[in-house]
Amino acid sequence: MTEIAAVRPLAAVLVSFVAAGLILVSGRRPNLREAWTILASVSMFGLVASMVPAALDGDILVTNLGTIVPGIDFLLRADPLGVLFASLASLLWIVTSFYSIGYMRGLDEDNQTRYFASFAVSVAAAVGIAFSGNLLTIFVFYEVLSVATYPLVAHDETEEARAAGRKYLAYTFFGGGVLVLAGTTLVYWLAGTVDFTPGGITALANADPTAATLAFIVLAVGFGVKAGLMPLHQWLPEAMVAPTPVSGLLHAVAVVKSGVFGIARVVLDVFGPETLAALGPDRFGDLGIALPLAALAAITLTVASIIALRKDHLKRRLAYSTISQLSYIVLGLALLEGDALIGGLLHIPAHAFMKLTLFFCAGIIHVETHTDYISEMAGIGKRMPLTMLAFGVAAAGMAGIPLVAGFVSKWYIVIGAFEGGNGIFAGVLLLSGILNIAYFWPIVYQAFFETPDDTDEKPLVEGPYGGRDRVVADGGDAADHAVDDHHADSDHDDGHHHGGPPAGGWETRDWRGGESTWFMLGPILTAASLSLILGVVPHTAVFLRIVETIVGNLPGVMG
């Protein structure tokens, strides 16, 4: 691979920072403010897309901004793995920007200027993470991301929102601020460098095994905080108090994806599959020290799916679905086998397209009907046909149904598990697929095939230990109320119906977009279409080609 000095990696990061300043000074002119957002998102995507051909050809564009500390440079490198994440973040920023306009105006939200500026800085930090050339640079952008996303999590400024924001900062600063920095220090002490190298830093293979194992554990846990690995996941459901576009940012575009991206860097470019397989006791077998990471991912994806079954609040169910789905990525990486690595990396864009669709659907349902609970959505397909069709497509992909993106990525992981002699993990993945069907299908079924007056009982959420009864009976579980998407009551008491079908049932809307503004419907249908494109023609969507390039550059890895 050839390194070429270039300014484009830096420009891709700076365009969003500059946009944040322009958004702030245009606060009193909403149309101009949002024009800066759209212009910046398109410009960023154009810059990142221009680097894709070079990454596929083996050329790495590099921007070196000088020394941070002795021996370590502030380095930006547009290698294939970085281009994968940056392409995803910049593409979905365009989609989310249009959706944000419709959502924030639809609810007449306060502090919209702060919202759009913080969003721009968050995406800049995500692209900075993507292009970071070493552990210290990624640490710097990690901290910027944590700070920039706090105003978004706490946007509503209620006590619940502030508490969620404080918990988010506590978890992410502990993960990014303490553990990632500690792991970076250990790696530098052991190897004399923290630069990312395909297949791992050579010196770590010859370092003291105990110290190297400790460094891997510290880094994996540090990045695992943002990746939502259990038991470090608690901040993620609480953050659902944020506006729905922020939930999309947290779950699909930047924050949790930066966590799994960090784990990918550690597995592939800091230690490397061969070194990880050699570390750890002999009883860990071919996976070496990666076996505990694989086991933790398998436990997380199963337990989170079971918890999701019990959640009646739509955004909380989606939150636990995210925790589960992220562990597919971690599991694919931890299996250390070519096809499993391809599946794990491909699930980064696959999950992003599907989960963004699902959260956008939850948001438009809230804006148009003020409905947040699944048990109140019987027959809502009449009122929002396109929305629920898109929801059904994304839900099918989450369950691994063919022709949607999730099937392709999960297929590779399952095949990789069998090829590596780890069939038990393939079994866990298949079980999780069944659980996905169990918690998504009832939503789609009741939307189209039930009515408010003729709906099946949902014992998982309506029974004595289910989520819905707890809210009704005791006034509630504070966390469930916290995500009762802000302003669902007094702040927006505008005379409209709040929650569930209005008297007389859902109004029938046609399939031509009469259910909401196209500022929201357009992004929903775009994200759903991307899920289908990646599922039907994955190579044409370029993401699979990038992933195959990443894995093909790893020494000793067989596909």
Side-chain angles (χ1 to χ4, degrees):
M1 300 184 77
T2 305
E3 293 192 353
I4 302 172
V7 297
R8 273 182 284 174
L10 177 62
V13 176
L14 288 182
V15 68
S16 191
F17 279 119
V18 172
L22 294 172
I23 289 167
L24 288 173
V25 300
S26 305
R28 295 188 178 185
R29 302 174 65 184
N31 290 338
L32 179 60
R33 175 190 64 203
E34 288 152 16
W36 290 127
T37 300
I38 300 299
L39 179 61
S41 62
V42 172
S43 299
M44 175 185 278
F45 178 67
L47 285 166
V48 174
S50 72
M51 293 182 257
V52 172
L56 292 174
D57 291 340
D59 295 329
I60 301 176
L61 304 184
V62 179
T63 305
N64 191 327
L65 298 178
T67 301
I68 311 178
V69 296
I72 304 177
D73 292 336
F74 194 91
L75 189 64
L76 300 177
R77 298 174 73 250
D79 66 350
L81 182 55
V83 168
L84 173 72
F85 185 35
S87 299
L88 178 67
S90 58
L91 171 61
L92 294 185
W93 187 26
I94 300 173
V95 180
T96 307
S97 294
F98 282 103
Y99 184 90
S100 293
I101 294 170
Y103 184 93
M104 301 302 280
R105 291 190 178 190
L107 289 177
D108 193 24
E109 286 282 356
D110 297 326
N111 302 310
Q112 293 189 31
T113 298
R114 183 184 67 191
Y115 167 89
F116 283 104
S118 297
F119 215 111
V121 175
S122 297
V123 178
V127 174
I129 289 169
F131 289 151
S132 292
N134 55 52
L135 282 170
L136 193 57
T137 305
I138 206 173
F139 161 76
V140 172
F141 284 113
Y142 237 61
E143 298 305 281
V144 174
L145 181 62
S146 295
V147 173
T149 46
Y150 170 78
L152 298 172
V153 174
H155 176 84
D156 195 30
E157 298 185 358
T158 63
E159 185 54 40
E160 292 85 359
R162 293 178 188 276
R166 289 193 296 269
K167 176 175 281 191
Y168 169 72
L169 282 183
Y171 272 78
T172 55
F173 274 129
F174 172 71
V178 178
L179 295 180
V180 172
L181 184 59
T184 300
T185 304
L186 276 171
V187 169
Y188 186 76
W189 175 62
L190 290 169
T193 181
V194 291
D195 288 349
F196 297 137
T197 306
I201 299 170
T202 303
L204 283 176
N206 303 316
D208 176 70
T210 302
T213 298
L214 177 62
F216 173 75
I217 293 172
V218 171
L219 285 171
V221 174
F223 287 116
V225 173
K226 271 194 169 74
L229 287 175
M230 289 183 169
L232 305 172
H233 69 289
Q234 292 292 339
W235 66 270
L236 193 53
E238 302 300 317
M240 293 304 92
V241 70
T244 298
V246 176
S247 300
L249 172 75
L250 293 172
H251 288 251
V253 182
V255 178
V256 295
K257 287 300 188 301
S258 70
V260 292
F261 178 81
I263 293 175
R265 282 294 194 195
V266 171
V267 170
L268 304 180
D269 295 340
V270 176
F271 287 86
E274 291 183 318
T275 299
L276 290 177
L279 292 174
D282 292 339
R283 65 178 181 274
F284 284 179
D286 293 339
L287 296 185
I289 195 59
L291 178 62
L293 181 62
L296 179 61
I299 292 169
T300 298
L301 68 89
T302 304
V303 173
S305 293
I306 293 171
I307 295 174
L309 282 167
R310 305 299 298 269
K311 295 301 174 183
D312 190 35
H313 195 288
L314 180 55
K315 283 179 67 176
R316 282 187 76 80
R317 184 170 295 194
L318 295 179
Y320 280 98
S321 169
T322 294
I323 295 168
S324 174
Q325 294 287 328
L326 290 173
S327 290
Y328 282 84
I329 302 170
V330 177
L331 179 58
L333 293 168
L335 290 175
L336 306 181
E337 197 279 334
D339 283 331
L341 291 172
I342 289 173
L345 293 172
L346 187 61
H347 202 58
I348 294 176
H351 173 261
F353 297 148
M354 296 181 297
K355 187 49 61 72
L356 197 64
T357 302
L358 295 171
F359 270 110
F360 281 179
C361 290
I364 197 172
I365 290 170
H366 175 75
V367 170
E368 295 297 331
T369 72
H370 300 283
T371 301
D372 300 304
Y373 290 97
I374 297 165
S375 56
E376 297 175 341
M377 294 182 184
I380 200 171
K382 290 175 58 179
R383 171 64 176 80
M384 312 200 73
L386 287 174
T387 297
M388 295 312 300
L389 176 64
F391 189 99
V393 169
M398 286 291 182
I401 304 299
L403 302 182
V404 191
F407 170 77
V408 181
S409 56
K410 293 179 183 183
W411 173 266
Y412 274 104
I413 299 174
V414 170
I415 294 301
F418 279 121
E419 290 179 346
N422 297 291
I424 187 172
F425 292 115
V428 171
L429 291 169
L430 295 174
L431 172 62
S432 179
I434 294 171
L435 292 172
N436 272 263
I437 294 173
Y439 64 73
F440 276 127
W441 172 245
I443 303 172
V444 179
Y445 177 82
Q446 73 172 9
F448 288 109
F449 302 110
E450 293 183 354
T451 66
D453 298 326
D454 181 24
T455 179
D456 294 335
E457 186 177 352
K458 307 298 186 297
L460 283 173
V461 296
E462 294 174 0
Y465 301 103
R468 184 59 173 161
D469 247 13
R470 287 163 59 206
V471 173
V472 173
D474 60 23
D477 182 75
D480 273 357
H481 275 291
V483 295
D484 221 352
D485 219 321
H486 49 283
H487 308 323
D489 34 52
S490 59
D491 286 350
H492 281 268
D493 189 10
D494 52 9
H496 293 295
H497 167 75
H498 292 284
W506 297 111
E507 178 186 355
T508 299
R509 298 290 176 91
D510 60 37
W511 292 82
R512 293 175 294 181
E515 59 206 74
S516 184
T517 170
W518 279 102
F519 269 111
M520 301 179 76
L521 279 175
I524 289 172
L525 298 179
T526 299
S529 298
L530 290 169
S531 300
L532 290 170
I533 292 170
L534 189 56
V536 177
V537 284
H539 278 95
T540 302
V542 86
F543 288 103
L544 181 55
R545 291 166 56 198
I546 297 174
V547 167
E548 289 174 341
T549 301
I550 296 167
V551 177
N553 289 335
L554 298 173
V557 173
M558 299 297 293

